[in-house]
Amino acid sequence: MDNSALADAVLAGDRRALARAITLVESTRPEHRAAADMLLERLAGAGRQAIRIGLSGTPGVGKSTFIESFGLMLVSRGLRVAVLAVDPSSARTGGSILGDKTRMERLARTPDAFIRPSPSQSHLGGVARRTREAVALCEAAGFDIVLIETVGVGQSETVVAELSDVFLLLLAPAGGDELQGVKRGIMEVADMIVVNKADGDLKATATRTCADYAGALRLLRRRPQDPEGFPKAMTVSALADTGLDTVWEEIRTLVDWRRESGHFDAIRKAQARFWFEADLREALLARLRSTEARKALEMLSDQLADGEITHTRALAQMLHDHLNA
Ligand SMILES: Nc1nc2c(ncn2[C@@H]2O[C@H](COP(=O)(O)OP(=O)(O)OP(=O)(O)O)[C@@H](O)[C@H]2O)c(=O)[nH]1
Ligand SMILES: [Mg+2]
């Protein structure tokens, strides 16, 4: 299939074509990169927009179960749902998605859903770029909702928050002092805190945990991009399928409000800037990591240490020789 036929198939919502297109953007081979860029340019004009929902939570909190139940609920409402994963640890085991495939079995079988395992790359910057491009491909393929999942470790939540329109933090019922365990930074970027496993013996604890987080969220400054009452905390049971409708209603409320107030587009624009600057920084650093640059850097550092060159001159020479500045 040539590039333009692939573009047409993606636009027609063909899931196999979408999978191939994502494989293309994930490839690190230069000739694939060129084809991927051409494809992305072809599709950019479609102007389709999904609601991008980021979802983060520690291992075992119930992300996969939540995505399965929530995804099926969305599909039952006539929406097409794509699921992508940002998993910085997938290089470690390579196995996590196998578990997910079985846990999301029903969703995976639904014609209106598309599930994509995370690319097995350890470099988070590369994963972020490829995920962004995969999101764009899912939008071009006409998906209404793109769910972007990440396990809550390290910086991957920040990456997903910068990739999504609405960011959900999934938590498990827990005793009072665990509240401090959630980093303040992540509380500040979460649009909704969803306490999962509010069923059976865990229900009372889940309700208490939710109240604790609701209290903590009220202490945060109200954000200009939010309507009254956000960010919110709520309880669900992904297993018993309760509270998921409410999560969706709240997402709709937030998205509708932001669309009307102009914040929806403003946030996406700010994200585009954020990624442009992040990738530029990364590209510049990559140049400085070339063998030639590293040799020059070492030589200049020696000269600097020996007092043979000034700091200003050494800096100017590096910038001139290796960044064309
Ligand atoms: N009681 C109860 N158990 C749940 C619920 N949701 C998930 N679980 C259970 O919690 C365990 C972990 O669920 P997963 O959905 O695999 O969790 P995850 O966050 O995807 O885990 P990782 O992929 O390892 O990060 C499983 O045994 C689920 O059955 C729920 O709503 N209630
Ligand atoms: Mg999982």
Side-chain angles (χ1 to χ4, degrees):
M1 204 187 286
D2 72 8
N3 205 280
S4 104
L6 184 58
D8 288 344
V10 170
L11 286 171
D14 179 340
R15 290 189 300 171
R16 283 179 61 193
L18 176 60
R20 278 182 62 172
I22 294 178
T23 303
L24 193 62
V25 302
E26 282 174 359
S27 170
T28 47
R29 284 168 57 182
E31 70 271 25
H32 287 169
R33 189 63 248 169
D37 288 337
M38 200 197 290
L39 180 69
L40 289 163
E41 268 174 41
R42 280 201 160 102
L43 296 171
R48 292 177 178 165
Q49 196 178 65
I51 298 178
R52 306 169 183 170
I53 302 173
L55 179 75
S56 176
T58 47
V61 71
K63 296 178 296 298
S64 302
T65 313
F66 176 87
I67 289 172
E68 163 102 338
S69 302
F70 189 64
L72 286 168
M73 184 270 293
L74 295 173
V75 166
S76 77
R77 292 176 178 235
L79 297 162
R80 295 180 71 219
V81 180
V83 180
L84 304 171
V86 173
D87 185 0
S89 62
S90 66
R92 186 192 58 202
T93 60
S96 73
I97 203 67
L98 289 177
D100 277 351
K101 275 265 150 145
T102 53
R103 229 155 254 148
M104 299 188 206
E105 207 174 349
R106 283 164 62 217
L107 189 62
R109 277 202 309 263
T110 309
D112 285 330
F114 173 83
I115 300 179
R116 179 71 180 193
S118 54
S120 51
Q121 274 175 312
S122 49
H123 172 47
L124 199 54
V127 172
R129 174 162 178 197
R130 272 150 198 89
T131 307
R132 247 156 46 231
E133 291 171 346
V135 169
L137 292 170
C138 292
E139 290 192 320
F143 283 89
D144 304 293
I145 308 289
V146 181
L147 278 165
I148 312 156
E149 181 208 338
T150 192
V151 66
V153 291
Q155 290 184 295
S156 64
E157 304 118 325
T158 322
V159 169
V160 170
E162 288 288 347
L163 281 173
S164 47
D165 301 315
V166 177
F167 183 64
L168 310 184
L169 179 62
L170 206 60
L171 295 174
D177 38 328
E178 288 219 10
L179 193 87
Q180 278 94 36
V182 177
K183 284 165 276 162
R184 192 187 160 84
I186 180 108
M187 293 269 292
E188 281 170 352
V189 294
D191 294 307
M192 274 182 232
I193 285 181
V194 179
V195 182
N196 189 32
K197 309 195 183 183
D199 51 51
D201 291 348
L202 290 168
K203 192 164 181 179
T205 319
T207 307
R208 221 174 323 115
T209 305
C210 180
D212 287 347
Y213 280 98
L217 287 174
R218 273 195 295 275
L219 297 178
L220 296 177
R221 198 157 44 91
R222 166 139 178 243
R223 303 179 299 187
Q225 70 267 30
D226 285 350
E228 196 62 47
F230 281 89
K232 276 193 182 172
M234 59 199 81
T235 58
V236 301
S237 168
L239 209 56
D241 213 335
T242 55
L244 300 171
D245 288 293
T246 313
V247 171
W248 176 233
E249 310 295 320
E250 297 291 0
I251 290 173
R252 286 299 307 269
T253 302
L254 188 61
V255 167
D256 289 349
W257 191 88
R258 284 185 185 168
R259 281 202 168 126
E260 267 165 48
S261 65
H263 284 106
F264 191 89
D265 286 340
I267 292 169
R268 283 206 177 183
K269 282 184 184 172
Q271 290 174 340
R273 280 174 203 273
F274 172 90
W275 289 115
F276 174 63
E277 286 172 21
D279 286 357
L280 184 62
R281 234 182 344 260
E282 184 48 45
L284 291 176
L285 286 174
R287 279 206 195 176
L288 291 179
R289 279 193 296 263
S290 74
T291 317
E292 225 178 298
R294 282 216 312 269
K295 270 190 199 149
L297 182 64
E298 203 159 309
M299 214 178 72
L300 282 170
S301 303
D302 287 347
Q303 291 177 359
L304 187 72
D306 294 340
E308 290 164 13
I309 191 169
T310 66
H311 178 100
T312 310
R313 277 192 192 283
L315 207 57
Q317 192 170 329
M318 268 313 281
L319 291 172
H320 175 270
D321 291 354
H322 298 281
L323 296 177
N324 304 327

